[in-house]
Amino acid sequence: MTSLELWVDHSKRGLQEPLPIPFGTSRCFDIKSGIVQPKPLPQIRINEGDGHLFDEQDRLVGAHICMRKPEDITKAISLVGSVGWLLLDFYMDWIQIPCENVIAAAQGSPTRICVRPTKVDDIAGVAFALQTGVDALLLDPADDAMWTEARLVQTRKDASRQTDGA
């Protein structure tokens, strides 16, 4: 298993054709609905009503937090230890420090963190923040620049993990 999962975002609405699954994808992220189309990879689905995350067997596995203000960082930190996954979706320009705060709170806990980066420059920063970084990145399947950078960072993170003996 790699030290950084790459999730493809299949939650876009109104698309008539199936979205591609880019090379290196670990999971498919989608909207929880009554009709679930099978995907070739493990799934994480969101219930938009309450932000709960479910796996392909419909088991509750985490929570989605929209990061808009400082109180949302506090909310995310309060969930650490009680959920398997935290998906942080940023609606602010600064993501590095909020990510570091959540990563610091999650160290030593069973909670893993997935972030939807807002720009290519954010990827390495959140992947290596506090020397552990996030566990996953959620990426738009059509954003080639994000996928290219994410794969490069994933390779670097895997190499540094092997060097450290992890």
Side-chain angles (χ1 to χ4, degrees):
M1 178 192 289
T2 65
S3 58
L4 181 65
E5 290 188 16
L6 303 179
W7 298 6
V8 64
D9 185 358
H10 277 193
S11 67
K12 306 292 184 206
R13 295 187 175 193
L15 296 173
Q16 299 304 316
E17 69 233 26
L19 293 166
I21 297 178
F23 174 75
T25 300
S26 308
R27 297 178 194 251
C28 294
F29 175 76
D30 213 337
I31 294 173
K32 186 175 186 309
S33 63
I35 301 170
V36 177
Q37 296 179 352
K39 302 240 182 345
L41 294 168
Q43 296 179 48
I44 296 285
R45 294 188 315 276
I46 184 172
N47 182 341
E48 287 187 304
D50 59 16
H52 290 136
L53 301 176
F54 296 87
D55 67 10
E56 59 272 2
Q57 281 85 39
D58 227 19
R59 295 178 296 214
L60 180 65
V61 295
H64 173 246
I65 307 291
C66 292
M67 307 291 277
R68 299 184 197 305
K69 54 192 180 298
E71 295 81 22
D72 298 325
I73 301 165
T74 303
K75 180 179 179 183
I77 290 170
S78 74
L79 291 171
V80 167
S82 64
V83 296
W85 280 100
L86 276 176
L87 171 57
L88 306 179
D89 212 343
F90 286 90
Y91 295 91
M92 54 178 76
D93 290 335
W94 48 280
I95 76 168
Q96 187 69 34
I97 293 173
C99 275
E100 288 176 357
N101 291 337
V102 179
I103 290 166
Q107 288 180 339
S109 83
T111 299
R112 297 191 293 167
I113 301 165
C114 179
V115 169
R116 183 190 315 253
T118 55
K119 54 189 178 283
V120 171
D121 294 342
D122 293 335
I123 293 174
V126 299
F128 290 101
L130 300 180
Q131 299 178 335
T132 57
V134 297
D135 302 287
L137 299 171
L138 177 61
L139 305 168
D140 182 327
D143 194 329
D144 292 335
M146 289 281 235
W147 278 93
T148 298
E149 179 67 11
R151 286 186 203 106
L152 290 170
V153 167
Q154 181 186 53
T155 300
R156 282 184 26 222
K157 192 168 181 177
D158 288 345
S160 70
R161 190 172 148 191
Q162 290 175 353
T163 303
D164 295 341

